[in-house]
Amino acid sequence: MALAEIELCGELIIAASNAEDRLSLESIDEVLRVAEARTDTAGP
């Protein structure tokens, strides 16, 4: 689990460094794949 968290943190750092301004909450959710996690845990 820690490795996945480190990977997501790295992706967030990369996204932030490429952004011209602050990342929006929607951008952060996209980078962290929040919507995917929600659908995965929702189940059938």
Side-chain angles (χ1 to χ4, degrees), residues 35-43:
E36 291 176 24
R38 287 184 183 150
T39 56
D40 289 346
T41 59

Side-chain angles (χ1 to χ4, degrees), residues 25-42:
L25 293 178
E26 293 81 17
S27 296
I28 293 170
D29 285 350
E30 184 179 323
V31 171
L32 298 179
R33 296 177 278 233
V34 171
E36 291 176 24
R38 287 184 183 150
T39 56
D40 289 346
T41 59

Side-chain angles (χ1 to χ4, degrees), residues 8-18 31:
L8 289 174
C9 185
E11 291 178 20
L12 190 57
I13 291 169
I14 291 168
S17 67
N18 289 331
V31 171

